[in-house]
Amino acid sequence: MHQRLRFNVAFLIIAAVLLLHGPVMASEAAQVNGLVSVEWLSNHLNDKGIVILDVRTFPKYLKSHIPGAVRAFGPWQKMNDKFVGFMAPPVDELQDMLQSYGVSNDSLVIIYDQGLTSTDTAKSARALWTLHYLGHDKCAILNGGFNAWEQKEKPVTAKPAIPLRGDFKANVVANKVITLDEVKQRLKSKTSCFLDTRQPHEHFGHEKKSFIPRYGHLPGSLLIPAAYITIGGQNFSPAYLRTTKELGDMVRGAGIPSDKSAEIIVYSNTGLQAALGYFVLNNVLGYKNVRLFDGSVLEASKDKDVPMKRYSWGWND
Amino acid sequence: MEKRTIIKNIFLLAIFTVIAFGLNTPVSLYAWGGVSPLVSTSWLDKHKGDKNVVLIDVRTEANYGFAHIPNAVSIPYGKLEPKCAKECYMIPPTKEITRLFQNAGVNKNSHVVVYAHGNTTSDASKAAAAYWVLKAMGHKKVSMLNGGFTKWTFEGRVVTNEVPKVKKGNFQAKRNPAAVADFSEVAKVVQKGGAVLVDARNSVQYFGHEKRMDVTCYGHIPGAINLPADFLNNSGVNRAPATIKDEKDLATMVVGVGIPKAKSTPIIVYCNTAQLAGLNYLVLKDILGYQDVKVYDGSMLEYCKVRGKLPVERFSWSIGSLRNL
């Protein structure tokens, strides 16, 4: 009896796999944690409804890219009207841009970058966050980027892809982003967890980027440097994302609450590295309420009302 | 009337002392009575010919041979570096230290000033580690040249390639257990607490994202606090020489990384090879005045090899590790 049941279950699974092979599998794989492998992508290059975005610079794209990939340099971020931060462009501009890349609401969007460093991966993560912000969850990052693709000797081309215009309609998810005013209020009420994804020496206030006016971090911030999230550069490795276990350890070791519904505000200098932190928490570890502080330190440190703490680790503030 | 004269005299004496100290030891008042842990280039320029001052250059012999500060004697840092079999010892045997420093002309009462290059944290920490070696070998009057050879040459001060004639000194090295911790002491702290462990490496290695090739495990000794030696000096910021930061900033930092304010707190510092730890030792012990600071001379190089069942902590900032100190 038992044996028969087991046989039936096995049969059902095999049948399901056979039946659902193709685009459906594609979206399934992508939804696991928003990450696809080189092998997966090379098997699904010609799937219907797949849009591959190349977020590298134009010259790199012209030299060689993954067959069918669209040049998608952006702008994913630009100086906003008030010149306070390097932030997401207006929604209608983004929508227009994504349509020109051939994105529709049912597209499966795969994003890739150069794949050498964590900063490269952050560019993909920023594009992915933008899609999430516009209400499009069917998207994933190519693990290891173009570098991994090349190392595995997959085909490349220099011929630019000319996409058919998509009909993507944005449906903004407001709580993916957090404004300076809300951040100020959270800093006062101390109800949220702040996560800094810059380098430790920037967090500590030993050094800073020249375009950032003040040293240090938002008081009480925790720290996971985006640079530690991938293994890019170690033994010539492409920027593969660390394993889910390692990332889980990091999040615990950094003191982030284990409650997956806690509000976590991620920031960096300009909101680029922060997107990688967002990706890890939201996609890999399943935190439900992760918000990107789009203005980040660039915007916050210009505002004299925002306290910044120097020469300490945030968890000791 | 008489009383007033006495008060006046005391007052004058006090002013005189302050002025004298101000001139002689520019960064000093925290080391009243002894010598200051740091001396400035201008101080050294005035006192490099003093009978009692022995100047030691810990850069490589080649660099020394090319140009050094007048009257400096060469003891390359390589001669003080850790020697590893199964266990690692930063400090060579006392006999060897005695020979090295006697040949450099160091007497029991000499004021020894050590210097290295002053471009990077690594440079500054070489001088600081040599400083610590001398302290750990029982010498009492040691200073480090703030900013090193780099600051000296930036300021256009005289250099030479002339090797000074040295009269053999009478310094006798004697291990000072108050400055050195060995593995068993560290192991006890890991298991039972009782001291603050401070990791002087950069955060990449502390956190365990990367490691040095010859160190065999990732991460840090459980519970250790990260206070990178990089943060303690000005190198790397606008190409400034590796001078030690202001005392006020240092005090803020030490509390900011989570080291208790009480100066009696027992502290053990370590890094990969006990070189960077030298800088933290100098700052914590002799600038900020923590009374009980030791360097674990085996550091990670040894800990990883001999730790047995003792854990290492990776991907963590050891938040809240001092709760049961």
Side-chain angles (χ1 to χ4, degrees):
Chain A
M1 180 68 183
H2 262 295
Q3 212 168 3
R4 187 146 163 216
L5 192 69
R6 221 179 284 157
F7 175 78
N8 278 347
V9 170
F11 177 77
L12 273 176
I13 289 173
I14 292 169
V17 166
L18 286 174
L19 275 172
L20 299 179
H21 194 69
V24 183
M25 276 287 280
S27 56
E28 248 176 20
Q31 274 162 11
V32 170
N33 55 16
L35 195 71
V36 296
S37 66
V38 166
E39 285 73 25
W40 183 90
L41 184 61
S42 67
N43 289 333
H44 293 83
L45 274 184
N46 300 318
D47 283 6
K48 216 179 146 213
I50 201 167
V51 175
I52 306 170
L53 300 184
D54 182 324
V55 297
R56 300 175 304 155
T57 54
F58 192 37
K60 282 187 177 136
Y61 177 83
L62 275 190
K63 208 171 149 214
S64 72
H65 54 263
I66 297 175
V70 181
R71 180 182 81 90
F73 179 59
W76 299 96
Q77 287 177 276
K78 68 182 198 184
M79 197 37 102
N80 73 348
D81 296 342
K82 294 172 194 147
F83 296 98
V84 291
F86 202 56
M87 295 152 88
V91 172
D92 52 336
E93 279 179 35
L94 284 171
Q95 180 176 289
D96 183 57
M97 182 180 93
L98 286 166
Q99 284 179 359
S100 76
Y101 296 156
V103 177
S104 297
N105 286 61
D106 57 353
S107 306
L108 169 62
V109 183
I110 306 292
I111 308 156
Y112 75 89
D113 52 86
Q114 190 61 25
L116 283 169
T117 63
S118 289
T119 307
D120 291 335
T121 315
K123 285 177 192 165
S124 288
R126 178 74 199 195
L128 175 124
W129 172 83
T130 308
L131 285 157
H132 284 189
Y133 167 58
L134 298 178
H136 190 87
D137 282 346
K138 254 174 97 180
C139 49
I141 294 174
L142 174 64
N143 197 6
F146 192 64
N147 192 12
W149 184 268
E150 272 189 320
Q151 276 196 10
K152 299 211 162 148
E153 301 183 338
K154 300 292 179 192
V156 293
T157 176
K159 199 177 132 218
I162 300 159
L164 283 175
R165 195 172 178 87
D167 55 6
F168 176 70
K169 285 277 174 294
N171 180 15
V172 172
V173 184
N175 70 0
K176 289 287 176 196
V177 72
I178 191 162
T179 63
L180 180 60
D181 285 337
E182 288 170 300
V183 162
K184 279 188 198 166
Q185 184 260 318
R186 301 293 200 282
L187 282 172
K188 276 208 190 87
S189 64
K190 296 187 174 162
T191 46
S192 302
C193 167
F194 281 88
L195 176 64
D196 189 350
T197 57
R198 298 171 302 159
Q199 287 286 356
H201 60 255
E202 293 173 311
H203 174 89
F204 198 78
H206 175 58
E207 289 188 45
K208 64 174 181 61
K209 290 264 191 289
S210 57
F211 55 85
I212 302 286
R214 283 193 284 158
Y215 285 98
H217 54 262
L218 301 177
S221 300
L222 303 177
L223 174 66
I224 298 180
Y228 300 178
I229 288 172
T230 75
I231 55 165
Q234 296 187 14
N235 298 322
F236 305 102
S237 167
Y240 289 123
L241 203 72
R242 283 196 179 278
T243 63
T244 306
K245 189 194 168 292
E246 287 175 325
L247 295 170
D249 285 351
M250 259 186 212
V251 162
R252 224 170 300 123
I256 290 174
S258 53
D259 175 12
K260 302 269 164 140
S261 61
E263 182 176 79
I264 301 172
I265 298 163
V266 197
Y267 72 91
S268 57
N269 280 321
T270 62
L272 178 66
Q273 311 272 15
L276 192 51
Y278 165 86
F279 177 71
V280 167
L281 289 169
N282 182 75
N283 290 57
V284 182
L285 300 172
Y287 280 82
K288 300 282 187 307
N289 196 5
V290 189
R291 306 179 71 173
L292 189 101
F293 177 21
D294 201 10
S296 276
V297 176
L298 182 59
E299 184 185 18
S301 62
K302 281 179 192 165
D303 187 333
K304 295 239 160 50
D305 296 341
V306 179
M308 285 186 75
K309 187 98 172 62
R310 194 184 181 189
Y311 291 150
S312 75
W313 299 124
W315 50 93
N316 292 326
D317 293 346
Chain B
M1 184 71 181
E2 218 179 350
K3 215 176 185 180
R4 200 182 257 180
T5 328
I6 292 171
I7 291 172
K8 204 170 150 191
N9 280 344
I10 290 174
F11 185 65
L12 279 178
L13 193 72
I15 290 184
F16 179 75
T17 327
V18 167
I19 291 173
F21 256 89
L23 288 178
N24 284 336
T25 48
V27 242
S28 77
L29 294 174
Y30 26 79
W32 190 266
V35 297
S36 130
L38 295 176
V39 295
S40 69
T41 45
S42 55
W43 182 91
L44 184 62
D45 217 354
K46 276 189 216 115
H47 294 89
K48 61 182 188 293
D50 284 10
K51 225 174 157 189
N52 199 32
V53 171
V54 179
L55 186 56
I56 291 184
D57 184 325
V58 299
R59 300 174 306 153
T60 60
E61 270 161 351
N63 277 323
Y64 175 84
F66 185 68
H68 54 258
I69 298 176
N71 289 335
V73 189
S74 169
I75 300 181
Y77 180 72
K79 293 191 177 161
L80 307 171
E81 257 185 337
K83 312 284 179 286
C84 281
K86 183 163 189 279
E87 291 168 5
C88 305
Y89 299 101
M90 169 79 176
I91 314 179
T94 42
K95 228 171 116 191
E96 173 68 5
I97 291 286
T98 304
R99 193 187 64 80
L100 275 173
F101 285 96
Q102 279 191 356
N103 288 347
V106 175
N107 288 317
K108 236 186 285 171
N109 297 318
S110 302
H111 178 190
V112 185
V113 179
V114 288
Y115 75 89
H117 268 301
N119 291 320
T120 61
T121 303
S122 169
D123 296 338
S125 63
K126 269 177 197 160
Y131 170 98
W132 167 74
V133 166
L134 272 164
K135 290 263 169 164
M137 282 295 169
H139 204 286
K140 301 243 159 41
K141 288 162 81 178
V142 195
S143 301
M144 168 187 159
L145 176 62
N146 200 7
F149 193 66
T150 306
K151 185 155 189 283
W152 183 270
T153 48
F154 270 11
E155 293 167 348
R157 297 182 196 275
V158 178
V159 294
T160 179
N161 58 6
E162 201 178 302
V163 179
K165 277 206 189 91
V166 177
K167 201 172 138 231
K168 197 171 172 188
N170 63 12
F171 168 65
Q172 285 292 338
K174 188 168 166 265
R175 228 173 139 83
N176 166 18
V180 197
D182 61 5
F183 174 73
S184 63
E185 201 171 339
V186 171
K188 219 173 91 193
V189 172
V190 172
Q191 285 159 334
K192 295 186 188 134
V196 179
L197 289 164
V198 174
D199 190 321
R201 299 172 300 165
N202 56 25
S203 303
V204 176
Q205 295 179 31
Y206 168 88
F207 200 70
H209 176 59
E210 284 178 17
K211 66 172 182 65
R212 237 172 77 137
M213 287 268 270
D214 50 356
V215 169
T216 50
C217 59
Y218 281 98
H220 57 266
I221 301 179
I225 289 176
N226 190 206
L227 174 59
D230 284 331
F231 294 175
L232 303 176
N233 72 87
N234 291 309
S235 69
V237 181
N238 296 326
R239 295 171 186 253
T243 48
I244 308 299
K245 281 193 177 160
D246 294 341
E247 190 185 339
K248 194 173 145 270
D249 287 345
L250 294 173
T252 313
M253 278 183 203
V254 162
V255 175
V257 297
I259 296 174
K261 272 188 190 150
K263 302 284 163 153
S264 57
T265 311
I267 300 174
I268 298 176
V269 286
Y270 72 91
C271 52
N272 284 320
T273 63
Q275 180 187 316
L276 292 169
L279 200 58
N280 290 39
Y281 173 85
L282 185 143
V283 165
L284 288 167
K285 177 98 184 12
D286 292 334
I287 294 184
L288 297 177
Y290 281 88
Q291 289 137 18
D292 183 3
V293 186
K294 292 175 177 174
V295 171
Y296 169 32
D297 62 344
S299 278
M300 280 317 265
L301 216 48
E302 176 181 272
Y303 184 83
C304 291
K305 280 192 217 163
V306 303
R307 68 192 170 101
K309 280 184 186 141
L310 286 183
V312 275
E313 201 170 343
R314 195 183 180 191
F315 296 137
S316 159
W317 300 109
S318 289
I319 298 173
S321 63
L322 296 185
R323 265 179 219 135
N324 6 312
L325 178 72

